[in-house]
Amino acid sequence: MFSSVIPAAMYPVIYIVFIAILTLAYAIVLFPMDSRSLYEKPKGLYVAVIIALFLAFFLGLRPLSGRYFGDMQSYNTLYLNFAQGLLKPHTDTDVLWGNLMYAFAQVAEAKYFFLFVELVYIIPLLIACIRLSKENAAPIFVFVISAMSFFAYATNGIRNGAASSLFVLALTFLKGDYRNKIVYALLCIASYGFHNSMALPILASLGAFFIKNPKIMFYVWGAALAVTVLAGSMVSDMLSNLGFDQRFGEYLSGSNYENTITKEGFRWDFLLYSFMPILLGWYVIFRRKVYTRSYAILLGTYIYANAFWLMVIRSPYSNRFAYLSWCLYPIVLSYPMFELPAWQKSPGLKTAGVLAGHFLFTFYIWIKMWGGM
């Protein structure tokens, strides 16, 4: 479909232009809104559904390209090995992912598997937005798809992307009765089965659920920042030698995975980026005093997972650890602006400004990644 008429090189360009237009349109809509309009007025859920389906098919049916879509070439090779009977699913460390790929390889071409993974990546995110806010699911979803990491994990780190989306959806079931908690547990198991690294955010979510004092999450993040500033690379060096799985050590040492944005050293730009939802959370909880239990769980999960990344921030591939918290970033950033009275004055103007700034950082990363290609 799309892959036969659109060159791989055009996909990043089409994506960034599409998101720029979408961001501008929503910023214009949000700009004049007062509190009542911002929090209570329905904002076209059907539009979000159309956008989600378009992106799923557009990105899911992309052409095979290791140059523009990173790990896609490796996944395709693995898929062909499954199809030809050269490998069995038990050889893959992520059990659910390996078995699904093996099952698809017996009956379908690789492009249909990539489409399936894209649907798993995007649709749970849309459902999570709807569960968090029926009236404002559409603008929250725009925050999601305009996030810095969205395109990379839709086309490159697809296993991690699909796993994280299942986890984000799981979080929306954590607060509720035992039936909701069963759904949370099943989605977490599926998430872990797609990518074992999801153990970290799952543990972070349990910490956020059981630790009810909101001050603790901020203390933990501040302590992690102090440790990484004072200890330098000592922490990541120590963690890489503790005997975790092979990928964990490779991420920390930089011995593999060339197709990702990375720069060894202290990432002040990523630190500032990560700090924005935490700063907003501090303002909402301690200055505005309007937070809810749902927001505390979302923010706490983000902060605890992000605190781990802080301690390995100097490792060459720390962005892969950062995504274990960044998968929640756009929701944690946008949720209080649409579901809580985060702003006392000019809420529409401030929310539109945050959306614009959110996209501009994505555009900054896009220029760094694709500008020279």
Side-chain angles (χ1 to χ4, degrees):
M1 188 179 172
F2 293 110
S3 61
S4 62
V5 295
I6 303 175
M10 289 302 298
Y11 271 71
V13 177
I14 293 172
Y15 164 77
I16 202 69
V17 170
F18 176 72
I19 295 301
I21 294 171
L22 204 58
T23 299
L24 179 61
Y26 269 88
I28 291 172
V29 170
L30 294 171
F31 179 85
M33 286 189 174
D34 58 16
S35 296
R36 185 174 181 181
S37 298
L38 186 65
Y39 303 134
E40 299 176 10
K41 182 181 178 181
K43 297 174 180 64
L45 176 58
Y46 65 92
V47 176
V49 174
I50 293 171
I51 292 169
L53 291 174
F54 166 73
L55 285 174
F57 281 88
F58 173 66
L59 297 175
L61 296 174
R62 64 194 179 279
L64 178 64
S65 172
R67 178 183 179 187
Y68 291 98
F69 307 130
D71 290 347
M72 188 179 181
Q73 182 67 59
S74 300
Y75 288 130
N76 185 63
T77 300
L78 182 61
Y79 192 91
L80 293 177
N81 286 335
F82 282 149
Q84 295 166 12
L86 301 177
L87 287 176
K88 297 296 181 182
H90 69 267
T91 60
D92 195 282
T93 57
D94 300 315
V95 177
L96 182 56
W97 171 269
N99 279 279
L100 279 172
M101 182 181 281
Y102 179 81
F104 263 87
Q106 309 314 302
V107 297
E109 296 177 48
K111 64 180 180 180
Y112 296 111
F113 175 73
F114 288 123
L115 174 60
F116 167 76
V117 174
E118 204 67 47
L119 288 167
V120 174
Y121 177 58
I122 292 176
I123 301 304
L125 291 173
L126 175 62
I127 297 172
C129 293
I130 295 171
R131 284 184 54 79
L132 290 169
S133 176
K134 226 172 245 189
E135 291 77 14
N136 290 299
I140 292 175
F141 188 66
V142 171
F143 269 89
V144 169
I145 63 177
S146 60
M148 172 189 70
S149 53
F150 178 84
F151 184 83
Y153 285 88
T155 58
N156 180 6
I158 58 174
R159 174 169 20 182
N160 199 329
S164 66
S165 293
L166 292 172
F167 170 71
V168 171
L169 180 57
L171 263 188
T172 67
F173 289 93
L174 182 53
K175 178 181 170 289
D177 60 21
Y178 74 94
R179 288 168 295 188
N180 279 352
K181 288 180 174 59
I182 290 173
V183 176
Y184 161 80
L186 291 174
L187 285 169
C188 283
I189 291 169
S191 175
Y192 181 81
F194 264 72
H195 205 290
N196 296 167
S197 65
M198 297 311 296
L200 175 63
I202 291 170
L203 289 174
S205 69
L206 293 174
F209 179 76
F210 287 108
I211 302 172
K212 294 184 169 60
N213 185 345
K215 291 182 180 179
I216 294 177
M217 65 178 81
F218 294 95
Y219 290 148
V220 168
W221 195 85
L225 179 60
V227 167
T228 197
V229 169
L230 296 174
S233 60
M234 186 186 307
V235 178
S236 59
D237 292 342
M238 179 181 67
L239 290 173
S240 65
N241 293 320
L242 285 182
F244 293 109
D245 66 31
Q246 182 182 2
R247 270 185 315 211
F248 184 94
E250 288 173 342
Y251 289 170
L252 291 175
S253 64
S255 59
N256 206 341
Y257 305 97
E258 296 178 359
N259 293 310
T260 185
I261 302 177
T262 182
K263 181 178 76 175
E264 190 169 0
F266 201 92
R267 295 305 306 260
W268 289 106
D269 52 349
F270 285 172
L271 175 62
L272 180 62
Y273 175 78
S274 295
F275 182 60
M276 290 299 103
I278 299 173
L279 179 62
L280 178 61
W282 174 85
Y283 175 78
V284 168
I285 292 173
F286 298 111
R287 294 296 297 274
R288 296 284 294 140
K289 301 185 187 300
V290 292
Y291 76 99
T292 62
R293 183 78 178 115
S294 295
Y295 178 54
I297 290 173
L298 290 170
L299 181 62
T301 303
Y302 172 80
I303 288 178
Y304 293 139
N306 193 257
F308 179 85
W309 165 68
L310 277 182
M311 293 190 291
V312 298
I313 193 172
R314 286 182 172 83
S315 62
Y317 294 90
S318 71
N319 58 310
R320 291 186 180 248
F321 289 107
Y323 186 68
L324 298 177
S325 57
W326 286 348
C327 63
L328 278 170
Y329 185 102
I331 289 178
V332 175
L333 182 67
S334 59
Y335 180 85
M337 293 188 291
F338 291 105
E339 285 301 298
L340 305 172
W343 310 122
Q344 193 168 8
K345 298 179 180 178
S346 306
L349 171 62
K350 291 173 181 175
T351 302
V354 173
L355 175 60
H358 178 66
F359 167 75
L360 287 174
F361 191 86
T362 296
F363 186 72
Y364 158 74
I365 293 298
W366 184 89
I367 291 294
K368 289 185 68 174
M369 185 172 182
W370 304 103
M373 298 191 74

